[in-house]
Amino acid sequence: MLCQFFKSRLRSTRPLLVGERTNVIGSRLFKNLVAEEKWEEASEIARRQVKGGAHIVDVCLQSTERDEKKDIPVFYEKLIRKVKAPVMIDTTDPTAIELALTYCQGKAIINSINLEDGEEKFERVVPMAHDYGAAVVVGCIDEDKLQAQAFTRERKLAVAQRSYELLTEKYGLGPEDIIFDPLVFPCATGDENYIGGAVETVEGIRLIKQALPEVRTILGISNVSFGLPAGAREVVNSVFLYYCTKAGLDLAIVNTEKLERFASIPQHERDLAENLLFSHPPKDVPADFSQGELLRNVPADWREQKKEQRAAVNQYHIAAIAEYFRTAKKKEKKLAADLPLDERLANYIIEGTRDGLIADLERKRAEGTSPLDIINGPLMAGMAEVGRLFNANELIVAEVLQSAEAMKASVNHLEQFMEKADTAKRGKIVLATVKGDVHDIGKNLVEIILKNNGYDVVNLGIKVPPEELIKAYLQHHPDAIGLSGLLVKSAQQMVITASDLRGAGIEIPLLVGGAALSARFTQTKIAPSYGKAVCYAKDAMTGLRLMNQLMDPATREQVLHEHAASGDGFAVATTVVVAELPKITRSPKVRADLPIPKVAYLDRKVRLVPDLNEVWSYINPFMLYGRHMGFRGDFEKRFAQRDPKAIELFESMEEVKRDAGEFLKPRAVWQFFEAEADGEAMHLFAPGAAEPVHTFRFPRQRVGDFLCLSDYVLPPQNGKRDHLAIFVVTAGEGVRERSEKAKNEGYYFKSHGMQALAIESAEACAEWLHRRIREDWGFPDPPEMTMAQRFTSRYRGKRYSFGYPACPNLEDQAGIWKLLRPEEIGVQLTEGFMMDPEASVSAVVFHHPDCTYFSVGDVGEA
Ligand code: B1M
């Protein structure tokens, strides 16, 4: 489990959190519970930490007041039943370490050993680490009489390097089992010996990670803020953690329940913390400030500051931050608490937070308000504001999901006090993805938004045939039916479905949505087929607005009127003036006289792609954070500028990745084929065979450059044929079930984020495999090629997916299935020629340097 964690951290910028509250030295509560031998309650603290986000639990039972070895068995017995997270055994007594190790399941961590007494601790403890397969925290401490605990960055590195050599060479410990603690010193006690300690620790981490990249690093974060007021401590700890993480910190010992999110710290507070941590030269020092002279012309690097300057700078920043948090912070907190209760309740929803929510819901109930009135009153007012803010571009999809989570938590809590009959909803809608289509993510987003805005949603799932919809209509008596679909084919299936619903006498409004759909297609094709109003919803929020308008007697008629059919459906069309087929069999724009590159192999390859981080590095951030999670603007740029929204979104997605790391398995099947073109036909052959195994026929452009995909296959040269590659990749195994589970439990961000991650992992896997295919073809990308260049296909050749404008015929997917048998990697082809699971991509890859993306023109309009 620990290894999995570590693996998934390799490219992450968030450290694993180690809960620090089960420590008799650091937590008075834990100490008292241990003293009173309340083991049940004491072990509850561990469970709470894990619930609060800890990935590992640090346990320290070592004190002068008790016999640690008597306490270990009773406490660990309870602990291992309640907590499945790895345990960090925090004691200096080797016999206690060994005793605790006997209770730990899976991999444990020993905290800690060092060189303070020479190699004594190494000699005693490392053999235990070997015996129990544990990792070891190694403090940057040695025998130095003057300063055993390494303070400067250089000494931290030197002690780490010496320990590393001993541990790996003499004691045979693997680098992956070594976790260095570069040590933290308090920056706000006024002790001159510790000034600059925070910077040195950050830089120490950086040096250690550069010199010894395979080891991990760990820090006890809270020590840095010792001596400050509580509010200031939370901020300073969080800012310090942020910089340590950027320097490469892998594990952080923190109070997970009291960690302020870096992204939500106001800029001014961040500045105060940074000034203190980094001993920045003070700005705008008042002219009459007592030590004013010392605070002018201060060098930026604390090491270049004079001794008196250092002390004055440190005092100045301590005073500034302490003063701010003694006054301003208190005021702010008071203000929030002073808001009228209804406003506070609405605010929980708008801000997507649950901190204090249940207590305030109870206060509202105590006022005599019924649960239903609470939902329909202040909570719904909050959701309405969320909708308004989203439409005004002030909230992004990810934040709307957090608001929905707060709403779901409120409803879950209130439900226990509601009568069965108390389910007055705003309306009911049956939602489904149409026959042949596996598209789930868009429909589920619609479900979440509608449900948490008071609608009863019956989600029938994917690949739903008209008969099932009719059955659901008769059973649930909905006010509307919502249809979803990804592809043009699904838009056409909506026309058929609408006609079947009409045939069954259904007349309630239809709402339709999907990437390949348009308002025009809806009005001119689907609505005539249905004979009643069909509303096109470009996104989930539009779906909500339409439902609200349809359920409001004041606006209903107008909406129905606006979305009535125009024309008679099948007849209305797409009068496309089709130009005559050109009399050419090859585009003059595509060269035919190029040498045919060799391919390395011609057999079919089937692969599990085990390195998720490798695949994820090919994810296009614009797609994941922008299109799916709704971030507006240039995500990468804003992230680099430390935009709080970008950072928060990134960190939340990292959490989704951590979960996904446990089950997401990108798989690929691909093969190079010999190929020959004959006009618009492209024949594929088994090696050396005379007869093709399959022939694809592509449309040719009727105007412009008269391009056709088959032109990208070079004519045979000296009896040797050209080649192309075909592939199918997937990252969808197990995604639907897990996302559904998270949705049902009210973890909407996770639910949506997981589907978005899977989808973009499939696309990333396609990009990754395409690169590999180029390498196997003998023309690897130049080393300086960036991902951004890759995303805009600045490489040799291109890949084309059926359904896209150069090869719109989705039925050609059947050819791929015949040739590659992607069932072996778990991908099925539906009757609508879609790939199930949803997070799958297929493509044909050409090497021709003249390849370009083009459209063959109108191909069935939607
Ligand atoms: Co592909 N894809 N894709 N794709 N993809 C499209 C849809 C396409 C239009 C691109 C193009 O040609 N420019 C094209 C379809 C054209 C066609 O049909 N001929 C296409 C194709 C061809 C394909 C493949 C077939 C390619 C291939 O591999 N051969 C393949 C099919 C996948 C499969 O079979 N499983 C494929 C794969 C993929 C990815 C997996 C890589 C990825 C994810 C797809 C997905 O979202 N499930 C992907 C993506 C990202 C896209 C585009 C770029 C974006 C789709 C999107 O936004 N999804 C898309 C091009 C485009 O739109 N510019 C494209 C996010 C989702 C949340 O949005 O589903 O629209 P959406 O849901 C919205 C609204 O539509 C609305 O609310 C939702 C939430 O706001 N809504 C409703 C939806 N249903 C509603 C119901 C309601 C109300 C509102 O009722 C009340």
Side-chain angles (χ1 to χ4, degrees), residues 159-180:
V159 177
Q161 278 177 319
R162 184 179 152 217
S163 305
Y164 178 86
E165 267 165 40
L166 282 168
L167 288 169
T168 54
E169 287 168 22
K170 185 167 170 189
Y171 294 90
L173 209 58
E176 65 283 357
D177 281 333
I178 301 174
I179 307 170
F180 281 115

PDB file of all heavy atoms in Angstrom, residues 159-180:
ATOM      1  N   VAL A 159      24.947  15.281   5.913  1.00  0.00           N
ATOM      2  CA  VAL A 159      24.553  14.204   6.839  1.00  0.00           C
ATOM      3  C   VAL A 159      23.702  13.167   6.083  1.00  0.00           C
ATOM      4  O   VAL A 159      23.870  11.954   6.270  1.00  0.00           O
ATOM      5  CB  VAL A 159      23.775  14.767   8.056  1.00  0.00           C
ATOM      6  CG1 VAL A 159      23.319  13.631   8.964  1.00  0.00           C
ATOM      7  CG2 VAL A 159      24.627  15.758   8.831  1.00  0.00           C
ATOM      8  N   ALA A 160      22.818  13.655   5.231  1.00  0.00           N
ATOM      9  CA  ALA A 160      21.966  12.726   4.468  1.00  0.00           C
ATOM     10  C   ALA A 160      22.833  11.836   3.577  1.00  0.00           C
ATOM     11  O   ALA A 160      22.622  10.622   3.500  1.00  0.00           O
ATOM     12  CB  ALA A 160      20.946  13.504   3.643  1.00  0.00           C
ATOM     13  N   GLN A 161      23.842  12.441   2.925  1.00  0.00           N
ATOM     14  CA  GLN A 161      24.678  11.641   2.015  1.00  0.00           C
ATOM     15  C   GLN A 161      25.475  10.587   2.775  1.00  0.00           C
ATOM     16  O   GLN A 161      25.593   9.451   2.337  1.00  0.00           O
ATOM     17  CB  GLN A 161      25.609  12.562   1.224  1.00  0.00           C
ATOM     18  CG  GLN A 161      24.868  13.170   0.031  1.00  0.00           C
ATOM     19  CD  GLN A 161      25.698  14.144  -0.768  1.00  0.00           C
ATOM     20  OE1 GLN A 161      26.429  14.936  -0.164  1.00  0.00           O
ATOM     21  NE2 GLN A 161      25.562  14.117  -2.082  1.00  0.00           N
ATOM     22  N   ARG A 162      25.985  11.001   3.932  1.00  0.00           N
ATOM     23  CA  ARG A 162      26.767  10.030   4.715  1.00  0.00           C
ATOM     24  C   ARG A 162      25.849   8.881   5.190  1.00  0.00           C
ATOM     25  O   ARG A 162      26.185   7.706   5.070  1.00  0.00           O
ATOM     26  CB  ARG A 162      27.407  10.749   5.917  1.00  0.00           C
ATOM     27  CG  ARG A 162      28.298   9.838   6.695  1.00  0.00           C
ATOM     28  CD  ARG A 162      28.956  10.547   7.857  1.00  0.00           C
ATOM     29  NE  ARG A 162      29.230   9.589   8.912  1.00  0.00           N
ATOM     30  CZ  ARG A 162      29.126   9.837  10.189  1.00  0.00           C
ATOM     31  NH1 ARG A 162      28.756  11.045  10.602  1.00  0.00           N
ATOM     32  NH2 ARG A 162      29.384   8.906  11.079  1.00  0.00           N
ATOM     33  N   SER A 163      24.675   9.257   5.692  1.00  0.00           N
ATOM     34  CA  SER A 163      23.735   8.227   6.166  1.00  0.00           C
ATOM     35  C   SER A 163      23.344   7.305   5.010  1.00  0.00           C
ATOM     36  O   SER A 163      23.245   6.085   5.166  1.00  0.00           O
ATOM     37  CB  SER A 163      22.462   8.877   6.716  1.00  0.00           C
ATOM     38  OG  SER A 163      22.778   9.811   7.703  1.00  0.00           O
ATOM     39  N   TYR A 164      23.130   7.907   3.846  1.00  0.00           N
ATOM     40  CA  TYR A 164      22.708   7.140   2.679  1.00  0.00           C
ATOM     41  C   TYR A 164      23.749   6.080   2.315  1.00  0.00           C
ATOM     42  O   TYR A 164      23.430   4.911   2.098  1.00  0.00           O
ATOM     43  CB  TYR A 164      22.488   8.100   1.511  1.00  0.00           C
ATOM     44  CG  TYR A 164      22.088   7.431   0.208  1.00  0.00           C
ATOM     45  CD1 TYR A 164      20.753   7.138  -0.059  1.00  0.00           C
ATOM     46  CD2 TYR A 164      23.043   7.098  -0.754  1.00  0.00           C
ATOM     47  CE1 TYR A 164      20.376   6.532  -1.242  1.00  0.00           C
ATOM     48  CE2 TYR A 164      22.676   6.484  -1.945  1.00  0.00           C
ATOM     49  CZ  TYR A 164      21.344   6.211  -2.190  1.00  0.00           C
ATOM     50  OH  TYR A 164      20.970   5.610  -3.371  1.00  0.00           O
ATOM     51  N   GLU A 165      25.008   6.548   2.275  1.00  0.00           N
ATOM     52  CA  GLU A 165      26.071   5.605   1.912  1.00  0.00           C
ATOM     53  C   GLU A 165      26.129   4.437   2.891  1.00  0.00           C
ATOM     54  O   GLU A 165      26.212   3.274   2.492  1.00  0.00           O
ATOM     55  CB  GLU A 165      27.414   6.322   1.896  1.00  0.00           C
ATOM     56  CG  GLU A 165      27.740   6.823   0.503  1.00  0.00           C
ATOM     57  CD  GLU A 165      28.855   7.837   0.504  1.00  0.00           C
ATOM     58  OE1 GLU A 165      29.831   7.657   1.265  1.00  0.00           O
ATOM     59  OE2 GLU A 165      28.731   8.825  -0.244  1.00  0.00           O
ATOM     60  N   LEU A 166      26.082   4.779   4.185  1.00  0.00           N
ATOM     61  CA  LEU A 166      26.136   3.716   5.198  1.00  0.00           C
ATOM     62  C   LEU A 166      24.936   2.772   5.048  1.00  0.00           C
ATOM     63  O   LEU A 166      25.089   1.546   5.018  1.00  0.00           O
ATOM     64  CB  LEU A 166      26.115   4.335   6.600  1.00  0.00           C
ATOM     65  CG  LEU A 166      27.434   4.931   7.096  1.00  0.00           C
ATOM     66  CD1 LEU A 166      27.195   5.766   8.349  1.00  0.00           C
ATOM     67  CD2 LEU A 166      28.434   3.801   7.384  1.00  0.00           C
ATOM     68  N   LEU A 167      23.769   3.358   4.957  1.00  0.00           N
ATOM     69  CA  LEU A 167      22.560   2.522   4.956  1.00  0.00           C
ATOM     70  C   LEU A 167      22.457   1.646   3.720  1.00  0.00           C
ATOM     71  O   LEU A 167      22.059   0.486   3.794  1.00  0.00           O
ATOM     72  CB  LEU A 167      21.309   3.417   5.059  1.00  0.00           C
ATOM     73  CG  LEU A 167      21.102   4.067   6.427  1.00  0.00           C
ATOM     74  CD1 LEU A 167      20.019   5.129   6.375  1.00  0.00           C
ATOM     75  CD2 LEU A 167      20.747   3.010   7.478  1.00  0.00           C
ATOM     76  N   THR A 168      22.835   2.184   2.569  1.00  0.00           N
ATOM     77  CA  THR A 168      22.691   1.376   1.351  1.00  0.00           C
ATOM     78  C   THR A 168      23.846   0.403   1.179  1.00  0.00           C
ATOM     79  O   THR A 168      23.660  -0.737   0.786  1.00  0.00           O
ATOM     80  CB  THR A 168      22.580   2.267   0.093  1.00  0.00           C
ATOM     81  OG1 THR A 168      23.700   3.150   0.076  1.00  0.00           O
ATOM     82  CG2 THR A 168      21.285   3.041   0.063  1.00  0.00           C
ATOM     83  N   GLU A 169      25.068   0.881   1.514  1.00  0.00           N
ATOM     84  CA  GLU A 169      26.231   0.034   1.223  1.00  0.00           C
ATOM     85  C   GLU A 169      26.556  -0.921   2.373  1.00  0.00           C
ATOM     86  O   GLU A 169      26.771  -2.107   2.154  1.00  0.00           O
ATOM     87  CB  GLU A 169      27.444   0.911   0.897  1.00  0.00           C
ATOM     88  CG  GLU A 169      27.275   1.541  -0.486  1.00  0.00           C
ATOM     89  CD  GLU A 169      28.274   2.640  -0.763  1.00  0.00           C
ATOM     90  OE1 GLU A 169      29.339   2.661  -0.108  1.00  0.00           O
ATOM     91  OE2 GLU A 169      27.971   3.489  -1.631  1.00  0.00           O
ATOM     92  N   LYS A 170      26.553  -0.386   3.604  1.00  0.00           N
ATOM     93  CA  LYS A 170      26.957  -1.242   4.713  1.00  0.00           C
ATOM     94  C   LYS A 170      25.773  -2.042   5.282  1.00  0.00           C
ATOM     95  O   LYS A 170      25.914  -3.198   5.664  1.00  0.00           O
ATOM     96  CB  LYS A 170      27.576  -0.361   5.811  1.00  0.00           C
ATOM     97  CG  LYS A 170      28.148  -1.128   6.973  1.00  0.00           C
ATOM     98  CD  LYS A 170      28.998  -0.216   7.823  1.00  0.00           C
ATOM     99  CE  LYS A 170      29.374  -0.899   9.132  1.00  0.00           C
ATOM    100  NZ  LYS A 170      30.013   0.040  10.046  1.00  0.00           N
ATOM    101  N   TYR A 171      24.583  -1.373   5.322  1.00  0.00           N
ATOM    102  CA  TYR A 171      23.447  -2.039   5.972  1.00  0.00           C
ATOM    103  C   TYR A 171      22.430  -2.616   4.982  1.00  0.00           C
ATOM    104  O   TYR A 171      21.417  -3.178   5.378  1.00  0.00           O
ATOM    105  CB  TYR A 171      22.750  -1.053   6.928  1.00  0.00           C
ATOM    106  CG  TYR A 171      23.641  -0.667   8.090  1.00  0.00           C
ATOM    107  CD1 TYR A 171      24.479   0.439   7.997  1.00  0.00           C
ATOM    108  CD2 TYR A 171      23.657  -1.430   9.247  1.00  0.00           C
ATOM    109  CE1 TYR A 171      25.314   0.787   9.039  1.00  0.00           C
ATOM    110  CE2 TYR A 171      24.495  -1.087  10.306  1.00  0.00           C
ATOM    111  CZ  TYR A 171      25.322   0.014  10.195  1.00  0.00           C
ATOM    112  OH  TYR A 171      26.151   0.344  11.233  1.00  0.00           O
ATOM    113  N   GLY A 172      22.705  -2.430   3.700  1.00  0.00           N
ATOM    114  CA  GLY A 172      21.907  -3.097   2.656  1.00  0.00           C
ATOM    115  C   GLY A 172      20.461  -2.635   2.553  1.00  0.00           C
ATOM    116  O   GLY A 172      19.593  -3.376   2.097  1.00  0.00           O
ATOM    117  N   LEU A 173      20.184  -1.401   2.952  1.00  0.00           N
ATOM    118  CA  LEU A 173      18.808  -0.898   2.855  1.00  0.00           C
ATOM    119  C   LEU A 173      18.585  -0.324   1.446  1.00  0.00           C
ATOM    120  O   LEU A 173      19.468   0.350   0.901  1.00  0.00           O
ATOM    121  CB  LEU A 173      18.610   0.202   3.906  1.00  0.00           C
ATOM    122  CG  LEU A 173      17.211   0.395   4.463  1.00  0.00           C
ATOM    123  CD1 LEU A 173      16.691  -0.888   5.113  1.00  0.00           C
ATOM    124  CD2 LEU A 173      17.208   1.517   5.501  1.00  0.00           C
ATOM    125  N   GLY A 174      17.431  -0.593   0.874  1.00  0.00           N
ATOM    126  CA  GLY A 174      17.130  -0.036  -0.457  1.00  0.00           C
ATOM    127  C   GLY A 174      16.846   1.456  -0.331  1.00  0.00           C
ATOM    128  O   GLY A 174      16.229   1.883   0.652  1.00  0.00           O
ATOM    129  N   PRO A 175      17.256   2.270  -1.312  1.00  0.00           N
ATOM    130  CA  PRO A 175      17.020   3.726  -1.233  1.00  0.00           C
ATOM    131  C   PRO A 175      15.540   4.054  -1.053  1.00  0.00           C
ATOM    132  O   PRO A 175      15.190   5.026  -0.403  1.00  0.00           O
ATOM    133  CB  PRO A 175      17.514   4.252  -2.583  1.00  0.00           C
ATOM    134  CG  PRO A 175      18.333   3.171  -3.174  1.00  0.00           C
ATOM    135  CD  PRO A 175      17.955   1.875  -2.543  1.00  0.00           C
ATOM    136  N   GLU A 176      14.647   3.195  -1.625  1.00  0.00           N
ATOM    137  CA  GLU A 176      13.209   3.487  -1.548  1.00  0.00           C
ATOM    138  C   GLU A 176      12.682   3.308  -0.126  1.00  0.00           C
ATOM    139  O   GLU A 176      11.569   3.726   0.176  1.00  0.00           O
ATOM    140  CB  GLU A 176      12.423   2.627  -2.539  1.00  0.00           C
ATOM    141  CG  GLU A 176      12.413   1.130  -2.299  1.00  0.00           C
ATOM    142  CD  GLU A 176      13.717   0.423  -2.712  1.00  0.00           C
ATOM    143  OE1 GLU A 176      14.618   1.091  -3.237  1.00  0.00           O
ATOM    144  OE2 GLU A 176      13.812  -0.794  -2.489  1.00  0.00           O
ATOM    145  N   ASP A 177      13.485   2.675   0.746  1.00  0.00           N
ATOM    146  CA  ASP A 177      13.051   2.503   2.130  1.00  0.00           C
ATOM    147  C   ASP A 177      13.681   3.529   3.070  1.00  0.00           C
ATOM    148  O   ASP A 177      13.598   3.399   4.294  1.00  0.00           O
ATOM    149  CB  ASP A 177      13.390   1.083   2.620  1.00  0.00           C
ATOM    150  CG  ASP A 177      12.377   0.067   2.095  1.00  0.00           C
ATOM    151  OD1 ASP A 177      11.235   0.492   1.833  1.00  0.00           O
ATOM    152  OD2 ASP A 177      12.729  -1.111   1.929  1.00  0.00           O
ATOM    153  N   ILE A 178      14.338   4.530   2.485  1.00  0.00           N
ATOM    154  CA  ILE A 178      14.963   5.570   3.318  1.00  0.00           C
ATOM    155  C   ILE A 178      14.167   6.866   3.173  1.00  0.00           C
ATOM    156  O   ILE A 178      13.891   7.324   2.061  1.00  0.00           O
ATOM    157  CB  ILE A 178      16.430   5.813   2.881  1.00  0.00           C
ATOM    158  CG1 ILE A 178      17.232   4.510   3.009  1.00  0.00           C
ATOM    159  CG2 ILE A 178      17.057   6.929   3.717  1.00  0.00           C
ATOM    160  CD1 ILE A 178      18.644   4.603   2.468  1.00  0.00           C
ATOM    161  N   ILE A 179      13.801   7.439   4.314  1.00  0.00           N
ATOM    162  CA  ILE A 179      13.055   8.697   4.305  1.00  0.00           C
ATOM    163  C   ILE A 179      13.832   9.696   5.152  1.00  0.00           C
ATOM    164  O   ILE A 179      13.942   9.517   6.373  1.00  0.00           O
ATOM    165  CB  ILE A 179      11.642   8.501   4.908  1.00  0.00           C
ATOM    166  CG1 ILE A 179      10.905   7.347   4.202  1.00  0.00           C
ATOM    167  CG2 ILE A 179      10.830   9.787   4.807  1.00  0.00           C
ATOM    168  CD1 ILE A 179       9.606   6.936   4.895  1.00  0.00           C
ATOM    169  N   PHE A 180      14.395  10.720   4.525  1.00  0.00           N
ATOM    170  CA  PHE A 180      15.206  11.673   5.297  1.00  0.00           C
ATOM    171  C   PHE A 180      14.347  12.770   5.910  1.00  0.00           C
ATOM    172  O   PHE A 180      13.464  13.334   5.251  1.00  0.00           O
ATOM    173  CB  PHE A 180      16.278  12.309   4.404  1.00  0.00           C
ATOM    174  CG  PHE A 180      17.463  11.394   4.207  1.00  0.00           C
ATOM    175  CD1 PHE A 180      17.775  10.894   2.954  1.00  0.00           C
ATOM    176  CD2 PHE A 180      18.251  11.027   5.299  1.00  0.00           C
ATOM    177  CE1 PHE A 180      18.839  10.046   2.776  1.00  0.00           C
ATOM    178  CE2 PHE A 180      19.332  10.167   5.129  1.00  0.00           C
ATOM    179  CZ  PHE A 180      19.626   9.672   3.870  1.00  0.00           C
TER     180      PHE A 180
END
